[in-house]
Amino acid sequence: MDIISTRNMSRDFIEDVLEKTKKMEPIAKAKKQVDMLKGKTLATLFFEPSTRTKLSFMAAMNLLGGTVVGFDDPRTSSVKKGETLADTIRVVEGYANAIVIRHPNEGAAALAAKFSEVPIINGGDGSNQHPTQALLDMYTILKEKGKLDGLKVTLAGDLKYGRTVHSLAYALSKFDVSFVFASPPSLRMPRWIVADLKSSGISVKEINSIEVKSDVLYLTRIQKERFPDIEEYQRVASAYILDEETLKELGEETMIMHPLPRVNEISPGVDNDRRAKYFVQSFYGVPTRMALLAMVMADI
Ligand code: CP
């Protein structure tokens, strides 16, 4: 089983992951190793920087008793000598029971899956998808709101290049939600994603300012590294900022999420607000990824 995209993930599959994540949460909290994946090896191939995805996968594998090999700087791998992704995958599958890959190219994880006999997990491919982030986001919403149906969710910031919001929009669309997409006009959600959501019967409203009264306000970083033109980036870099002032307008029960890292979208003065959930959200990456690793490697 590969984990490449949330686009075709079923509601049943998502609910199964969330149920298994709940079982993993006490192990993640206790930081006490079990032997569920003893003898198994995970390869982490990070062709782009990461803190949360890479380290939480490593922590998850370690907690389940497995071993991790990999690289996080392709300049120290044979990619630097011109080795193709296909060849890299064919080699690494011989060293590991599953592979997590993060790559700047859209479709890289799907390509890797074509060449791999072992499960491929997409840790983010360009601006396309970040499915494991979406699943931990879903778990965070479920924990905080007690449900996934009946919610109004605002996705705000860089909806064009932000892979986390692409994955989360598709994952949430399997539930009874309505969306507000808040972004500068140049960073709107891709048209094909909006079309897919609407054809699934999901309500989508697109606006140019932050909607602060939703059940969930999910902010994102403007993805500087994806802009072909730095001046275009500078024009929108400070478009959406949640600070102590805008916090006064926030709904009493609006939870604030962010996949992190943040740049200036959320002022540190917001961190201690009871509605700010982005650090607990990043913690849930561990039990969610434990559940996914166990599913792909131990068939639980
Ligand atoms: N949220 C996320 O993907 O963070 P990293 O880039 O640090 O992995």
Side-chain angles (χ1 to χ4, degrees), residues 9-50:
M9 246 177 220
S10 69
R11 178 176 174 132
D12 280 354
F13 177 81
I14 293 169
E15 287 180 331
D16 191 30
V17 173
L18 300 178
E19 194 56 42
K20 285 167 178 152
T21 300
K22 190 175 168 190
K23 294 195 177 114
M24 295 295 182
E25 192 185 330
I27 306 172
K29 281 205 165 119
K31 297 187 181 138
K32 202 157 184 290
Q33 198 178 52
V34 296
D35 61 5
M36 193 180 286
L37 293 183
K38 193 171 175 198
K40 304 277 189 191
T41 301
L42 175 70
T44 56
L45 308 185
F46 278 71
F47 294 81
E48 275 193 335
S50 169

Side-chain angles (χ1 to χ4, degrees), residues 248-269:
K248 289 178 190 155
E249 306 295 320
L250 195 75
E252 271 304 301
E253 300 306 325
T254 301
M255 65 184 283
I256 309 163
M257 299 179 71
H258 193 303
L260 303 177
R262 63 177 156 182
V263 180
N264 60 354
E265 314 78 60
I266 302 179
S267 148

